[in-house]
């Protein structure tokens, strides 16, 4: 009888210890989650983060807040998240320029491949190629033919040296073997203003920047930089199908966490992204921003990041940008 009581006591203690161990590692999440955004409120990255934060609050059962940390082209936010505890409570709504372009053209204190774990590529949007009405071209092919007949006479705009609009245009100009002058502006808005005024003849911009001005007649959108036509512009051919196969420059926003974040937390967040993107409300908001929902797996997102670093490295060389 005593032997039975001994084994019963041991079993009870073992079960208690196992239970205590489980309780020592409570299910995630147990407190509010922060999504760090590398840009100021109002842009696509911030808007996407706020849509996802709202959906995550519902699906994860904890408040999810957006924290805008602006500066150094996004490096301040990236460095902050890279150094944060890898517990799933500090995330980053990463933007392609910060993770795939900035480390290529400047010295940063973060490594996009080593310091982060990709969770899911939330959404992407291509660039559209806009030209002033004075350019006698309705297609990319006609634009190339005209510019080759007029070398050195025309300009293309960008939202700043080293910006994605600059690198996209520079890569196109190089592959098309055109002789055009780059004019750098402090942001997309003044670049679009000068395109509308005819002071520059071409600009690679976001759909949301250029499309609202098409109806005015001063500019035309003649090409799309993604590998498929934009749903909002089905009549406009991609640059790839316009004589430049393989040409693809798109920007994306994806959820990332500090390296070392538990795999179970990463998987839970990736599922939460897919669930959020399945919502009709989310789909509608993304369409209004010109963003295509993705919801990739962590591996797919990691593959995208590696491929884009290679693409933008080539674009930086085309733009004659050197590491600062």
């Amino acid at each position: 009888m005593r032997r039975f009581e001994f084994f019963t006591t041991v079993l009870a203690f073992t079960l208690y210890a196992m239970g205590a161990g489980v309780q020592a590692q409570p299910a995630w999440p147990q407190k509010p989650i922060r999504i760090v955004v590398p840009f100021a409120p109002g842009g696509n990255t911030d808007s996407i983060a706020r849509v996802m934060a709202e959906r995550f609050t519902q699906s994860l059962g904890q408040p999810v807040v957006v924290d805008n940390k602006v500066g150094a082209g996004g490096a301040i936010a990236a460095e902050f998240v890279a150094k944060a505890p890898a517990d799933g409570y500090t995330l980053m709504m990463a933007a392609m320029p910060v993770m795939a372009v900035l480390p290529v053209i400047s010295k940063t204190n973060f490594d996009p491949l080593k310091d982060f774990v990709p969770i899911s590529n939330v959404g992407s949007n291509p660039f559209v190629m806009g030209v002033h009405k004075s350019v006698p071209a309705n297609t990319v092919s006609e634009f190339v033919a005209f510019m080759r007949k007029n070398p050195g006479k025309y300009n293309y705009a960008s939202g700043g040296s080293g910006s994605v609009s600059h690198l996209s245009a520079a890569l196109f100009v190089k592959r098309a073997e055109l002789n055009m002058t780059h004019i750098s502006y402090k942001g997309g808005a003044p670049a679009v203003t000068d395109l509308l005024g005819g002071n520059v003849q071409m600009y690679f911009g976001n759909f949301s920047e250029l499309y609202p001005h098409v109806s005015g007649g001063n500019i035309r959108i003649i090409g799309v930089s993604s590998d498929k036509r934009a749903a909002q512009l089905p009549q406009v051919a991609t640059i790839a199908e316009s004589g430049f196969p393989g040409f693809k420059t798109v920007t994306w926003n994806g959820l990332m966490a500090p390296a070392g974040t538990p795999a179970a937390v990463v998987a839970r967040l990736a599922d939460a992204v897919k669930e959020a993107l399945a919502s009709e409300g989310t789909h509608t908001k993304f369409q209004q921003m010109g963003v295509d929902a993705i919801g990739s797996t962590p591996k797919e997102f990691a593959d995208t990041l590696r491929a884009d670093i290679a693409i933008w490295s080539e674009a930086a060389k085309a733009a004659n940008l050197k590491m600062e």
Side-chain angles (χ1 to χ4, degrees), residues 127 157-161 163-166 183-196 200 202-206 208-210 213 219:
F127 299 100
S158 81
S161 181
S163 66
V164 288
S165 63
H166 175 206
I183 306 295
S184 178
Y185 293 84
K186 293 183 178 180
V192 172
T193 297
D194 265 15
L195 178 66
L196 291 169
V200 291
M202 184 264 279
Y203 172 63
F204 271 70
N206 289 322
S208 58
E209 288 180 303
L210 291 174
H213 300 290
I219 64 171

Side-chain angles (χ1 to χ4, degrees), residues 134-135 143 146-156 178-183 198-202:
S134 61
V135 178
F143 177 84
F146 176 74
M147 289 300 166
R148 284 177 177 172
K149 291 179 181 178
N150 296 276
K153 295 181 180 180
Y154 295 100
N155 309 317
Y156 69 89
L178 305 181
N179 182 357
M180 299 183 69
T181 302
H182 169 228
I183 306 295
N199 296 319
V200 291
Q201 287 69 46
M202 184 264 279

Side-chain angles (χ1 to χ4, degrees), residues 39 44-45 95-98 100-101 123-131 140 157-160 162-172 188 192 202-211 220-233 236-240 247-253 289-292 308 311-312 315:
F39 306 124
N44 265 15
T45 302
M96 185 279 294
V98 178
V101 176
S124 71
N125 59 279
F127 299 100
V128 292
M129 182 179 174
V131 300
V140 171
S158 81
S163 66
V164 288
S165 63
H166 175 206
L167 298 181
S168 292
L171 184 60
F172 170 75
V192 172
M202 184 264 279
Y203 172 63
F204 271 70
N206 289 322
F207 172 86
S208 58
E209 288 180 303
L210 291 174
Y211 185 73
R220 292 186 296 275
I221 293 176
I222 64 171
V224 180
S225 71
S226 55
D227 53 5
K228 62 179 180 179
R229 297 192 181 194
Q232 301 89 341
L233 298 167
V236 178
T238 67
I239 294 172
F247 187 95
K248 178 184 177 182
T249 61
V250 300
T251 187
W252 45 253
N253 289 107
M289 292 185 281
V291 175
D292 296 324
D308 277 358
I311 289 172
W312 294 105

Side-chain angles (χ1 to χ4, degrees), residues 216-285:
N218 285 330
I219 64 171
R220 292 186 296 275
I221 293 176
I222 64 171
V224 180
S225 71
S226 55
D227 53 5
K228 62 179 180 179
R229 297 192 181 194
Q232 301 89 341
L233 298 167
Q235 76 283 6
V236 178
T238 67
I239 294 172
E241 65 180 311
S242 302
F244 302 93
F247 187 95
K248 178 184 177 182
T249 61
V250 300
T251 187
W252 45 253
N253 289 107
L255 203 64
M256 304 184 87
T261 299
V265 173
V266 172
R268 178 81 185 280
L269 282 164
D271 289 341
V273 170
K274 287 186 177 181
E275 181 181 341
L277 296 180
S279 164
E280 186 63 31
T282 302
H283 183 72
T284 299
K285 290 180 179 180

Side-chain angles (χ1 to χ4, degrees), residues 45-208:
T45 302
D46 177 73
S47 298
I48 291 171
R50 294 183 186 278
V51 171
M52 300 307 290
E54 181 182 350
R55 298 290 185 261
F56 286 171
T57 297
Q58 299 168 0
S59 63
L60 298 176
Q62 290 288 341
V64 181
V65 298
V66 172
D67 182 6
N68 299 85
K69 290 190 177 298
V70 184
I76 290 176
E79 291 170 14
F80 176 84
V81 175
K83 296 176 181 177
D87 54 11
Y89 293 103
T90 301
L91 310 173
M92 182 176 179
M93 185 55 71
M96 185 279 294
V98 178
M99 308 308 288
V101 176
L102 191 62
V104 169
I105 64 174
S106 63
K107 294 179 180 179
T108 60
N109 292 323
F110 68 91
D111 186 316
L113 297 175
K114 295 179 180 179
D115 294 335
F116 298 88
V117 55
I119 296 171
S120 181
N121 193 346
V122 177
S124 71
N125 59 279
F127 299 100
V128 292
M129 182 179 174
V131 300
H132 186 256
K133 65 180 181 181
S134 61
V135 178
N138 292 302
T139 66
V140 171
S141 298
E142 291 175 354
F143 177 84
V144 170
F146 176 74
M147 289 300 166
R148 284 177 177 172
K149 291 179 181 178
N150 296 276
K153 295 181 180 180
Y154 295 100
N155 309 317
Y156 69 89
S158 81
S161 181
S163 66
V164 288
S165 63
H166 175 206
L167 298 181
S168 292
L171 184 60
F172 170 75
V173 168
K174 178 185 178 183
R175 291 193 180 182
E177 299 179 342
L178 305 181
N179 182 357
M180 299 183 69
T181 302
H182 169 228
I183 306 295
S184 178
Y185 293 84
K186 293 183 178 180
V192 172
T193 297
D194 265 15
L195 178 66
L196 291 169
N199 296 319
V200 291
Q201 287 69 46
M202 184 264 279
Y203 172 63
F204 271 70
N206 289 322
F207 172 86
S208 58

